[in-house]
Amino acid sequence: MPIFKKEFFGYFRSPVGYVILAVFHIMVIGLALYSGYYSRGEASLNTLFQPLPWILIVFIPAVGMRLWAEEKRSGSIELLFTLPISPRSAVIAKFLAALAFIGIGLALTLSLAFTTGYLGDPDWGVMFSGYIGALLTASAFLSITAVCSALTKNQVIAFVISVMICLFATLMGSDWLAQFLGSSVPTAALDFLRLMSFEQHFDTMAKGLIDISALSFYITLTIACLGLNLIVIER
Amino acid sequence: MVTVDRLVKDYGTLRAVDHVSFTINKGDILGFLGPNGAGKSTTMKMITGFLTPTSGTATIDGFDVAKDPIEVKKRIGYLPESSAAYPEMTVVEFLTYVAEARGITDKDELNKRLADVIVKCHLDSVKYRSIENLSKGYRQRVGVAQAIIHDPQVLVLDEPTDGLDPNQKHEVRKLIQAMSADKAIILSTHILEEVEAICNRVIIIDQGRVLVDESPAEFKARIPGATIDEVFRDLTKDSALA
Ligand SMILES: Nc1ncnc2c1ncn2[C@@H]1O[C@H](COP(=O)(O)OP(=O)(O)OP(=O)(O)O)[C@@H](O)[C@H]1O
Ligand SMILES: [Mg+2]
């Protein structure tokens, strides 16, 4: 896929890609150390996975904001859509390219995993499902970002709006919100919010449970957003 | 080869293209003229499948662009008005990307095509430079190279000589003429001698409507003794004053 290649290597053609990766990495390590990676004395990646969704809220829109906005701004979208490529494969290729780049970012955090393996004896199964959870969260966030990026020719606007949507979606089912709303809202409503929540689903995965409801939540959301993305670019 | 039938494009209340029709065949070079905002680029964007017409059809080689966009796009080489390249890529990276996206994946074939367009468009001295660092004229030549890399049956060139120095204008015209034998070519321009020099057909559109559709010689003969510029001004003076 030429578009995949172009997009993926595009991240490395300018310093921006490296900067995004570096900042992501520093945030991950920083937060892990801050929340006591060494001092807790347990061999797990909890300190990595707990703050991870919050980091992804910023990291993913930073990666995905350029996908369509940049093409629209520079006018290259005119070239893209006069090439014999269907809009559907363009949407998918761009999404996968950005996801592959995010995959590199996540792979870098494996350094933490290996350190954990060196220092102790972690549960690799839990770690694996945690990473799957992270990747699924990333693809859902990325598909949201892709839609925002397709709606504007301004990358900054795409970034800000995506961060807001991802943040909102994460907060929606958080324990924090549940406590805040507490008794004022019927429990059924809270349960519904939790069903839609990123945090709840990710927590399950980070604990080592790959459950169907979490999987289908992420996958449905991703596919729905990519469908929306397609509709937006086809006008 | 290219049949355009009553194409219409509305932007809100503005009718940018108003029932434009024409047919051109292999060997034709059609010069598309008209004042700024006449609807030339908009018409071209509909032919190449970038914009969806409000009504009317464009057909290439029997394929309707609305029904078989991929088949139509395969057969067209298109130079957009705003040079639409990726600034961070080098010339070779960009041309390789376009060639691959156009289905030229065989390595030898690809290298042959690349070498060919680099020679034809005089890009050898800049082939490893980033497109963002090129001058406007070189960027324009990259755009032309990109449009012809797959040797298409139909070429749609929106102001191909815009921004080129006189030597390069001449080169590009020669190139277009040399390719015209087995292609149908549509080009837009504001340089009227260009039409006289290479086109065998001229269409003037103004406010979205076709005013004139004839050969350059017939066009010039409209006002005996006048230059092609003067005939153009005479025809489009209404919109110049409006
Ligand atoms: N995206 C758009 N939204 C609204 N109006 C548009 C849009 N694109 C073009 N127009 C209008 O459509 C009309 C035709 O524009 P077009 O670009 O086709 O002109 P043109 O003949 O190519 O002019 P030029 O010689 O300046 O290139 C103009 O009045 C222009 O303002
Ligand atoms: Mg134009």
Side-chain angles (χ1 to χ4, degrees):
Chain A
M1 272 311 282
I3 298 188
F4 176 88
K5 246 169 68 182
K6 185 211 92 195
E7 290 291 332
F8 181 72
F9 292 110
Y11 284 110
F12 302 103
R13 282 204 184 89
S14 73
V16 181
Y18 296 101
V19 171
I20 292 176
L21 277 187
V23 171
F24 172 67
H25 202 58
I26 291 167
M27 276 167 83
V28 167
I29 306 267
L31 275 177
L33 290 180
Y34 176 74
S35 47
Y37 174 71
Y38 287 112
S39 56
R40 274 206 209 168
E42 49 180 305
S44 82
L45 280 187
N46 269 339
T47 48
L48 165 64
F49 287 130
Q50 256 165 24
L52 194 59
W54 302 96
I55 301 177
L56 291 180
I57 288 174
V58 181
F59 173 56
I60 306 298
V63 173
M65 63 185 182
R66 69 196 284 272
L67 282 181
W68 298 100
E70 183 57 21
E71 300 252 14
K72 289 172 82 169
R73 192 196 54 78
S74 73
S76 53
I77 191 134
E78 202 168 327
L79 175 72
L80 179 63
F81 286 128
T82 49
L83 292 173
I85 291 170
S86 73
R88 178 146 46 97
S89 24
V91 166
I92 294 172
K94 276 176 175 274
F95 172 79
L96 290 179
L99 195 63
F101 180 78
I102 291 164
I104 293 183
L106 288 175
L108 288 177
T109 68
L110 283 172
S111 61
L112 270 181
F114 291 132
T115 318
T116 315
Y118 175 74
L119 293 175
D121 184 21
D123 184 336
W124 294 102
V126 172
M127 218 178 265
F128 176 73
S129 87
Y131 270 105
I132 298 284
L135 203 60
L136 288 171
T137 309
S139 36
F141 283 176
L142 180 62
S143 63
I144 292 172
T145 308
V147 176
C148 297
S149 179
L151 285 167
T152 167
K153 51 174 107 175
N154 186 324
Q155 292 193 43
V156 177
I157 293 178
F159 175 77
V160 171
I161 297 189
S162 323
V163 168
M164 281 181 0
I165 296 178
C166 295
L167 186 64
F168 182 74
T170 308
L171 279 179
M172 220 164 64
S174 66
D175 293 334
W176 175 82
L177 184 75
Q179 274 163 19
F180 180 70
L181 293 176
S183 49
S184 59
V185 173
T187 30
L190 280 180
D191 285 347
F192 177 72
L193 281 181
R194 277 166 181 271
L195 207 62
M196 306 285 291
S197 151
F198 277 91
E199 209 187 23
Q200 299 296 326
H201 289 302
F202 183 72
D203 275 356
T204 336
M205 306 277 289
K207 288 196 187 91
L209 301 167
I210 300 187
D211 80 322
I212 297 295
S213 90
L215 278 183
S216 55
F217 168 75
Y218 289 121
I219 293 173
T220 315
L221 188 71
T222 304
I223 293 176
C225 285
L226 290 181
L228 196 61
N229 187 351
L230 184 63
I231 294 170
V232 171
I233 58 157
E234 281 186 325
R235 277 154 298 171
Chain B
M1 184 115 82
V2 181
T3 307
V4 171
D5 187 26
R6 285 164 290 171
L7 270 186
V8 175
K9 182 72 189 180
D10 290 338
Y11 288 117
T13 55
L14 174 84
R15 181 149 287 191
V17 174
D18 191 359
H19 294 88
V20 167
S21 303
F22 59 84
T23 302
I24 61 167
N25 295 308
K26 207 190 257 187
D28 284 344
I29 304 182
L30 166 65
F32 225 39
L33 298 179
N36 291 135
K40 304 180 293 294
S41 299
T42 307
T43 306
M44 291 178 152
K45 287 175 192 176
M46 289 191 282
I47 298 172
T48 53
F50 179 65
L51 287 178
T52 315
T54 305
S55 70
T57 55
T59 317
I60 310 283
D61 206 12
F63 293 101
D64 183 336
V65 65
K67 298 199 188 83
D68 293 300
I70 302 283
E71 289 304 318
V72 167
K73 289 170 186 177
K74 274 184 196 162
R75 287 165 172 75
I76 295 186
Y78 174 44
L79 171 71
E81 183 169 38
S82 52
S83 58
Y86 298 97
E88 330 79 57
M89 287 185 166
T90 67
V91 172
V92 166
E93 280 170 344
F94 175 65
L95 294 175
T96 306
Y97 161 68
V98 173
E100 286 179 350
R102 291 211 170 265
I104 305 166
T105 43
D106 179 66
K107 222 47 250 105
D108 294 336
E109 177 69 12
L110 186 90
N111 289 333
K112 207 182 93 212
R113 300 288 181 100
L114 268 180
D116 183 49
V117 296
I118 284 173
V119 170
K120 278 182 177 157
C121 300
H122 303 270
L123 289 169
D124 201 52
S125 59
V126 299
K127 61 182 174 184
Y128 298 121
R129 298 248 303 262
S130 292
I131 292 173
E132 61 194 335
N133 299 332
L134 298 183
S135 69
K136 180 172 154 75
Y138 272 101
R139 250 179 269 160
Q140 184 75 356
R141 286 191 243 168
V142 172
V144 175
Q146 159 281 125
I148 61 177
I149 197 158
H150 55 300
D151 193 22
Q153 300 170 31
V154 177
L155 267 181
V156 178
L157 307 170
D158 203 346
E159 304 192 25
T161 55
D162 183 42
L164 299 181
D165 65 49
N167 297 333
Q168 281 302 323
K169 278 199 172 88
H170 182 70
E171 287 291 324
V172 168
R173 282 177 205 156
K174 255 184 15 202
L175 177 64
I176 293 172
Q177 247 176 338
M179 292 186 302
S180 68
D182 60 348
K183 294 189 200 314
I185 301 178
I186 304 173
L187 60 89
S188 75
T189 180
H190 290 298
I191 304 163
L192 302 175
E193 318 92 85
E194 194 156 291
V195 174
E196 241 183 323
I198 60 174
C199 298
N200 65 350
R201 175 103 171 262
V202 42
I203 287 186
I204 300 208
I205 77 170
D206 191 9
Q207 295 170 31
R209 276 189 292 269
V210 175
L211 294 185
V212 169
D213 179 358
E214 56 201 16
S215 73
E218 285 167 325
F219 180 63
K220 219 177 147 196
R222 281 176 173 249
I223 306 180
T227 64
I228 197 163
D229 271 47
E230 286 163 346
V231 183
F232 179 85
R233 276 206 298 276
D234 185 60
L235 272 166
T236 55
K237 61 177 180 262
D238 296 344
S239 78
L241 298 174

